[in-house]
Amino acid sequence: MENTVEVKTTSMPRIGDKAPAFKAVTTQGEIDFPKQYEGSWVILFSHPADFTPVCTSEFMTFASMEERFAKANCKLVGLSVDGLYSHIAWLRTIKEKIEYRGMKDVEVKFPLIEDITMEVAKKYGMMQPGESATKAVRAVFFIDPKGIIRTILYYPLSLGRNFEEIYRVLIALQTADAFSVACPADWQPGDDVIVPTAGSCGVAKERMESKKDIKCYDWFFCTKKLGKDEVLQKITKK
Ligand code: BEZ
């Protein structure tokens, strides 16, 4: 390989896999992942490096939204292949000095993993040598209360993530689970949801003729109303 340092990505977890386990040092003490998060959702995300501008904008945004994620029973855990003291210094700088898009005095309270050895980053396929041999890409793993990976997003180094989309994905996953439905393109809480496709000719006929709460665009594509309050009441903590 020319001009590329070879980095072994020892594994690449997939949707539906059990989240790979690890113990790590973080800015909030040691963590035992995903064991200590059992019973809640957790978003494990990586960023390329401390003291970089896109990452700083991301951390300020994510930290500002932490309470919304907590209300949806979801904890946040960050990672980069920097060391603990770099993490601490960067998070202090963010709190003390950075004012960005109306956000200031932002305290990052969720754990940020130190991963100088890249052990965790490699376990989760966060090292993608075509993009960078020395920095993790911007990966996002949504892990459910049973420790199963439910969604994975990857962004390149040059693009900051959309954290409203990350919140939308979390709420959509929880809605699909809680109401046994699927969420269509661009779904937001309050929009119609998709009911499971009819599994028999009889149900297909019934659905097409239904004048009640189900609307069918064709026999295989039926939706029903699901109010925003109903969604949020079911999935958010009081
Ligand atoms: C950033 O966060 O600004 C950044 C990090 C690594 C490469 C490019 C940009």
Side-chain angles (χ1 to χ4, degrees):
M1 244 192 294
E2 240 175 36
N3 298 328
T4 324
V5 180
E6 198 178 340
V7 177
K8 281 210 171 65
T9 46
T10 48
S11 58
M12 197 92 178
R14 294 165 299 188
I15 292 176
D17 288 351
K18 195 134 189 64
F22 61 85
K23 290 187 178 151
V25 170
T26 84
T27 49
Q28 301 290 329
E30 284 191 21
I31 60 167
D32 184 356
F33 194 93
K35 198 169 171 213
Q36 77 181 64
Y37 294 92
E38 261 173 34
S40 48
W41 286 77
V42 57
I43 294 177
L44 173 67
F45 70 101
S46 56
H47 70 278
D50 298 342
F51 292 102
T52 50
V54 178
C55 298
T56 300
S57 70
E58 289 194 319
F59 265 66
M60 293 184 76
T61 307
F62 221 178
S64 302
M65 293 170 73
E66 192 180 5
E67 224 171 277
R68 283 170 66 195
F69 283 90
K71 276 201 167 150
N73 189 29
C74 181
K75 295 179 172 144
L76 312 178
V77 178
L79 174 149
S80 79
V81 299
D82 297 289
L84 182 65
Y85 300 126
S86 165
H87 283 345
I88 292 170
W90 180 45
L91 299 188
R92 285 176 62 88
T93 303
I94 287 176
K95 176 157 169 55
E96 288 164 13
K97 297 202 182 130
I98 313 286
E99 191 172 340
Y100 173 70
R101 294 180 96 183
M103 296 178 281
K104 64 175 187 176
D105 199 24
V106 174
E107 190 172 350
V108 175
K109 295 181 184 147
F110 54 79
L112 176 49
I113 295 168
E114 80 154 356
D115 192 28
I116 316 175
T117 60
M118 302 186 190
E119 193 187 322
V120 180
K122 285 180 190 171
K123 244 183 198 178
Y124 274 82
M126 293 163 171
M127 301 309 298
Q128 303 198 358
E131 178 71 348
S132 170
T134 54
K135 293 175 171 64
V137 294
R138 301 181 196 280
V140 189
F141 289 84
F142 296 76
I143 297 163
D144 75 13
K146 291 186 177 141
I148 303 296
I149 296 172
R150 299 289 300 277
T151 299
I152 304 171
L153 305 174
Y154 286 113
Y155 282 57
L157 303 191
S158 59
L159 176 61
R161 286 159 280 205
N162 182 324
F163 290 90
E164 287 298 339
E165 170 62 3
I166 289 172
Y167 182 74
R168 188 188 79 95
V169 170
L170 174 73
I171 301 301
L173 289 168
Q174 295 182 350
T175 299
D177 286 358
F179 296 93
S180 302
V181 293
C183 298
D186 295 336
W187 179 86
Q188 293 286 350
D191 291 349
D192 292 357
V193 290
I194 294 175
V195 295
T197 302
S200 70
C201 294
V203 173
K205 183 169 184 291
E206 222 172 78
R207 289 257 180 94
M208 289 302 284
E209 289 168 358
S210 169
K211 299 267 181 299
K212 287 191 288 183
D213 55 341
I214 292 184
K215 175 178 176 176
C216 288
Y217 298 88
D218 202 338
W219 71 269
F220 65 91
F221 182 5
C222 300
T223 61
K224 69 172 184 183
K225 298 214 170 302
L226 183 58
K228 185 173 180 174
D229 288 349
E230 201 182 339
V231 168
L232 297 180
Q233 244 171 30
K234 184 114 179 198
I235 65 179
T236 57
K237 288 205 246 179
K238 302 291 158 309

